[in-house]
């Protein structure tokens, strides 16, 4: 049986991250980047696909007694109580120096406890068994381009068995044993050794200093800070890009086929991410994300993609890994993402909105930004009537999605406002105004159902979509417009499930062209709270927000989706979109005056 998705905690070094289970096992780690091949892939297979477990010897199959992050850090403490005593295992990935390191420190708390470490390295997503040998008291695993060094301080005896490296040792109260696992390219020499105890001290200090910059001081502050730390952990520090999640192929339905690779950077997240970082006091991170965005989208506007790699890579070919059984037998396991080639017109609006927000917030100006924005607008003026796949990346064919057209309006609106506000900017503002007016008229005519008083998912459809909740947020219509209020009520009624919200209906001939179902989408449920607040129902919004915060696991993490019936998290994890939603909704509900 696989652990539940929410049974995992995260450690990371802002270039990659690992999932650590409540059983003491590291079951997912890609080295050296979030999107590299995994050397521990038990998450999507079994123990034979790689993992590293440290736990009391007699605790096979058991979960820890308790665990928690050290306050305001990404340093994880896991404690075990046994008949013989108690131990603590402290897990972290230090800020990267020459190479990525995983540090696991075992400390005796009471009595004398025999501890077992089982390390099974499997490179290339659990496919390649490395050659393991001893060098200078260390274990060295090599296969193709990958090399891993494994050591302990003080040195404990290790032996090879069942294609794994094992150790067994006893710790008494006050005694410590530190393990360090270090990756480097196999054609390079071993990187300098780190001091695990000094790295622990430095990591705690650095994370707490970073968390202290958070300006939010309202209800659920701990959850907001944990969400911001999670976003920081999902940031690829060399470029400023923020991965949507650190996993691939965690299912939206257990046993289903809705399994996608989220280890990339989506433009759809850009405005919401910028807003969250800026409002919470993290201008430096916001500017790094804005700069990543500028580099990624540079070039021909016709080639704008919905997502890019961590450094702005454009080719993210999708393929399947048949040797992995999938999380809870959810197959196929996919790497890469074929949606990269889709047309999603909403990303033009999101890019324009992000750059507008960055300019208004005083981020450092770049001389070429307006030229880029003008080029995007000129392309959009000629191509906005095309059907597209929409922000949910449907694989059931292109349609005239209402959200996509609303975001076309956003692009035109932000371009017009920029020229009006900043005299030094120039462009074909008459054409952009005409586009803004024409799109607005068309959406209100073709995307609105007067019989039910609601906007619809796409032109001519009776289906609804949670993205319609963003209409007042982006300024397309004011929150008190009866069509907005009607849309909020209709979306809540038709897409609601146990008080939470689905993205859209998957029943019958689903628009996404996929079989099966999915859970409620947490980001959409946060949007519902925002929309309720904007339409004057602040108490309902706050009650929903309280419930959503309570869905986080014991260490404050959220997946992409939630199954209210089974009470389980679903989808890739931890999900940036969910944590961005938490931060923005906290700021919406408690960062200013009440709406109602």
């Amino acid at each position: 049986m696989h652990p539940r998705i929410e049974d995992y905690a995260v450690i990371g070094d802002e270039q990659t991250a690992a999932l650590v289970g409540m059983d003491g096992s590291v079951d997912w780690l890609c080295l050296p980047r979030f999107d590299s091949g995994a050397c521990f892939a038990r998450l999507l297979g079994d123990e034979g696909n790689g993992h590293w477990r440290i736990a009391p010897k007699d605790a096979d199959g058991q979960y820890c007694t308790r665990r928690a992050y050290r306050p305001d850090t990404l340093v994880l403490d896991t404690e075990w109580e046994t008949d013989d005593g108690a131990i603590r295992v402290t897990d972290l990935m230090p800020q990267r120096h020459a190479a990525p390191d995983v540090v696991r420190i075992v400390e005796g708390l009471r009595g004398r406890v025999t501890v077992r470490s089982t390390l099974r390295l499997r490179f290339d997503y659990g496919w390649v068994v490395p050659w393991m040998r001893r060098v200078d008291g260390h274990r060295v695993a090599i296969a193709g381009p990958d090399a891993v060094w494994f050591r302990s301080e003080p040195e404990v005896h290790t032996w090879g068995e069942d294609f794994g490296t094992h150790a067994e040792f006893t710790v008494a109260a006050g005694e410590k044993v530190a393990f360090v696992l270090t990756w480097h390219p196999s054609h390079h020499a071993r990187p300098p050794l780190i001091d695990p105890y000094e790295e622990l001290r430095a990591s705690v200090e650095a994370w707490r200093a970073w968390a202290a910059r958070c300006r939010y001081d309202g209800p659920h502050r701990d959850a907001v800070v944990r969400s911001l730390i999670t976003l920081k952990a999902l940031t690829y520090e060399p470029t400023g890009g923020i991965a949507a999640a650190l996993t691939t192929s965690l299912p939206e339905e257990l046993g289903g086929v809705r399994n996608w690779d989220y280890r990339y950077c989506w433009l759809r997240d850009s405005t919401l991410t910028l807003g969250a970082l800026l409002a919470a006091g993290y201008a430096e991170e916001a500017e790094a994300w804005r700069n990543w965005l500028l580099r990624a989208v540079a070039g021909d506007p016709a080639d704008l993609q919905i997502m890019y790699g961590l450094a702005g890579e454009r080719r993210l070919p999708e393929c399947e890994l048949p040797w992995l059984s999938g999380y809870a037998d959810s197959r196929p396991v996919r790497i890469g993402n074929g949606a990269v080639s889709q047309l999603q017109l909403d990303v033009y609006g999101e890019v324009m909105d992000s750059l507008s927000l960055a300019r208004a917030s005083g981020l450092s100006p770049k001389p070429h930004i307006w030229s880029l924005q003008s080029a995007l607008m000129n392309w959009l003026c000629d191509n906005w009537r095309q059907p597209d796949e929409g922000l949910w990346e449907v694989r059931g064919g292109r349609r005239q999605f209402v959200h996509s057209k609303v975001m076309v309006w956003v692009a035109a609106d932000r371009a017009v406002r920029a020229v009006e506000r900043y005299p030094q900017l120039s462009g074909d503002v008459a054409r952009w105004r005409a586009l803004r007016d024409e799109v607005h008229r068309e959406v209100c005519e073709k995307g609105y159902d007067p019989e039910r008083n609601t906007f619809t998912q796409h032109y001519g459809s009776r289906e609804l979509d949670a993205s319609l909740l963003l209409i007042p947020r982006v300024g397309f219509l004011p929150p008190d417009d009866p069509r907005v209020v009607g849309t909020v009520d209709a979306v809540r009624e038709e897409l609601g499930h146990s008080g939470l919200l689905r993205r859209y209906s998957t029943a019958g001939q689903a628009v996404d062209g996929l079989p099966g179902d999915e859970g409620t989408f947490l980001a959409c449920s946060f949007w519902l709270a925002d929309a309720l607040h904007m339409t004057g129902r602040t108490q309902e919004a706050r009650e929903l927000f309280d419930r959503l915060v309570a869905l986080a696991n014991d260490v404050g993490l959220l997946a992409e989706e939630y199954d209210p019936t089974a009470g389980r998290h679903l989808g890739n994890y931890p999900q940036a979109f969910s944590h961005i939603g938490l931060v923005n909704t906290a700021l919406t509900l408690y960062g200013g005056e009440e709406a109602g």
Side-chain angles (χ1 to χ4, degrees):
M1 294 290 293
H2 277 89
R4 299 174 306 168
I5 291 170
E6 61 266 33
D7 289 342
Y8 289 101
V10 174
I11 58 173
D13 67 357
E14 296 178 63
Q15 295 189 46
T16 191
L19 290 181
V20 186
M22 296 182 78
D23 60 353
S25 182
V26 180
D27 287 350
W28 182 254
L29 174 61
C30 300
L31 292 171
R33 303 189 347 169
F34 293 109
D35 57 352
S36 300
C39 64
F40 299 137
R42 180 190 177 205
L43 179 72
L44 300 178
D46 56 33
E47 291 186 351
N49 298 121
H51 73 117
W52 179 14
R53 185 168 192 245
I54 296 179
K57 177 183 177 182
D58 298 325
D60 287 348
Q62 298 178 24
Y63 276 8
C64 63
T65 307
R66 67 186 69 88
R67 67 174 182 177
Y69 287 114
R70 298 196 182 180
D72 293 347
T73 77
L74 204 65
V75 174
L76 181 70
D77 286 326
T78 302
E79 296 185 4
W80 303 77
E81 299 276 354
T82 75
D83 293 340
D84 298 321
I87 64 166
R88 177 190 297 125
V89 180
T90 298
D91 291 322
L92 67 145
M93 292 189 71
Q95 189 69 31
R96 191 172 299 192
H97 302 294
D101 299 286
V102 179
V103 174
R104 313 194 73 184
I105 299 172
V106 183
E107 179 182 2
L109 301 178
R110 178 177 56 80
R112 294 179 59 82
V113 179
T114 300
V115 179
R116 171 167 286 184
S117 167
T118 301
L119 172 69
R120 290 189 177 90
L121 283 160
R122 300 291 186 270
F123 296 124
D124 195 17
Y125 301 100
W127 175 252
V128 177
V129 180
W131 172 44
M132 184 77 76
R133 70 185 195 276
R134 289 183 184 272
V135 177
D136 299 331
H138 299 182
R139 289 274 184 170
V140 186
I142 294 178
D146 299 293
V148 165
W149 291 70
F150 178 62
R151 63 187 174 92
S152 62
E153 293 184 11
E155 185 176 344
V156 298
H157 172 65
T158 62
W159 72 94
E161 179 184 325
D162 192 25
F163 298 101
T165 299
H166 304 263
E168 201 170 285
F169 56 95
T170 299
V171 290
E175 294 180 343
K176 296 180 182 180
V177 175
F179 292 91
V180 181
L181 184 148
T182 304
W183 178 94
H184 67 89
S186 59
H187 60 282
H188 289 178
R190 185 195 69 189
L193 302 182
I194 65 167
D195 180 336
Y197 300 103
E198 171 57 24
E199 294 299 336
L200 170 60
R201 184 204 62 77
S203 290
V204 169
E205 182 179 289
W207 277 111
R208 287 180 175 164
W210 188 86
R213 292 165 48 197
C214 176
R215 289 202 300 244
Y216 178 76
D217 196 28
H220 299 298
R221 186 180 190 277
D222 287 348
V224 170
V225 171
R226 178 53 53 194
S227 290
L228 289 165
I229 288 173
T230 304
L231 291 175
K232 181 72 167 172
L234 290 170
T235 300
Y236 186 62
E237 191 273 337
T239 67
I242 301 175
L246 68 89
T247 57
T248 179
S249 300
L250 288 182
E252 297 169 12
E253 178 185 36
L254 296 181
V257 301
R258 297 166 180 262
N259 317 316
W260 317 109
D261 193 345
Y262 275 18
R263 297 171 299 158
Y264 308 115
C265 306
W266 266 257
L267 299 191
R268 72 178 184 210
D269 302 0
S270 58
T271 308
L272 296 173
T273 304
L274 266 177
L277 292 171
L278 287 167
Y282 292 96
E284 181 181 333
E285 288 74 14
E287 186 155 327
W289 172 241
R290 190 278 311 266
N291 292 343
W292 173 89
L293 180 68
L294 288 172
R295 294 190 300 270
V297 305
D300 187 344
D303 294 333
L304 190 70
Q305 297 183 179
I306 65 169
M307 73 181 85
Y308 296 85
L310 300 169
E313 298 90 345
R314 291 173 176 256
R315 287 193 296 275
L316 310 173
E318 183 177 302
C319 66
E320 299 177 3
L321 306 183
W323 63 85
L324 291 173
S325 59
Y327 178 88
D329 294 320
S330 304
R331 284 174 281 205
V333 171
R334 297 180 174 95
I335 59 171
N337 200 311
V340 71
S341 61
Q342 289 186 351
L343 173 66
Q344 294 181 22
L345 293 173
D346 63 290
V347 300
Y348 290 84
E350 282 137 9
V351 170
M352 291 294 292
D353 200 18
S354 296
L355 297 180
S356 173
L357 175 61
R359 183 180 291 111
S361 300
L363 296 186
S364 62
K366 301 285 185 182
H368 64 285
I369 292 179
W370 184 245
S371 296
L372 170 64
Q373 290 182 272
S374 297
L376 292 175
M377 283 308 306
N378 290 334
W379 185 90
L380 201 54
C381 284
D382 293 331
N383 293 277
W384 72 273
R385 291 188 178 280
Q386 294 187 55
D388 71 345
E389 279 92 358
L391 87 162
W392 302 129
E393 298 157 21
V394 300
R395 301 193 179 198
R398 293 182 177 181
R399 289 170 170 80
Q400 298 285 1
F401 285 104
V402 170
H403 174 263
S404 296
K405 301 309 185 196
V406 167
M407 295 309 294
V408 170
W409 177 90
V410 168
D413 179 72
R414 302 316 187 250
V416 170
R417 288 171 180 263
V419 173
E420 292 173 344
R421 181 173 179 181
Y422 303 100
Q424 70 273 24
L425 303 180
S426 61
D428 195 347
V429 69
R431 189 184 188 201
W432 300 341
R433 282 198 186 98
L435 172 63
R436 181 176 65 176
D437 294 343
E438 185 176 4
V439 173
H440 201 280
R441 283 194 302 270
E442 181 176 294
V443 169
C444 291
E445 176 187 341
K446 296 182 179 180
Y448 175 69
D449 182 348
E451 179 184 331
R452 292 187 295 155
N453 187 30
T454 181
F455 287 93
T456 60
Q457 184 180 54
H458 54 89
Y459 292 173
S461 167
R462 289 185 60 83
E463 297 291 338
L464 301 184
D465 194 299
S467 63
L468 300 171
L469 296 173
L470 298 174
I471 285 175
R473 184 182 189 122
V474 300
F476 184 84
L477 287 173
D480 60 356
D481 189 294
R483 292 167 293 183
V484 169
V485 177
T487 299
V488 174
D489 290 341
V491 167
R492 180 160 62 159
E493 174 66 25
E494 296 190 22
L495 298 181
H497 178 27
S498 301
L500 305 178
L501 211 61
R502 300 178 182 272
R503 292 186 292 178
Y504 50 81
S505 173
T506 56
Q509 297 297 315
V511 69
D512 60 21
L514 297 167
D517 201 359
E518 64 178 33
T520 60
F521 202 82
L522 292 176
C524 296
S525 300
F526 284 113
W527 295 349
L528 176 59
D530 297 340
L532 288 171
H533 171 69
M534 294 182 74
T535 53
R537 291 167 279 185
T538 297
Q539 186 56 38
E540 290 181 65
R542 289 180 172 177
E543 290 170 0
L544 175 56
F545 182 60
D546 290 344
R547 183 180 175 198
L548 288 165
V549 171
L551 294 180
N553 72 351
D554 60 309
V555 290
L557 301 180
L558 292 167
E560 178 185 30
E561 299 182 3
Y562 184 77
D563 181 348
T565 303
R568 291 187 59 169
H569 287 221
L570 294 170
N572 284 305
Y573 175 84
Q575 178 78 2
F577 219 28
S578 299
H579 285 283
I580 292 164
L582 190 153
V583 174
N584 278 321
T585 299
L587 292 164
T588 297
L589 294 179
Y590 299 105
E593 294 299 317
E594 293 189 13

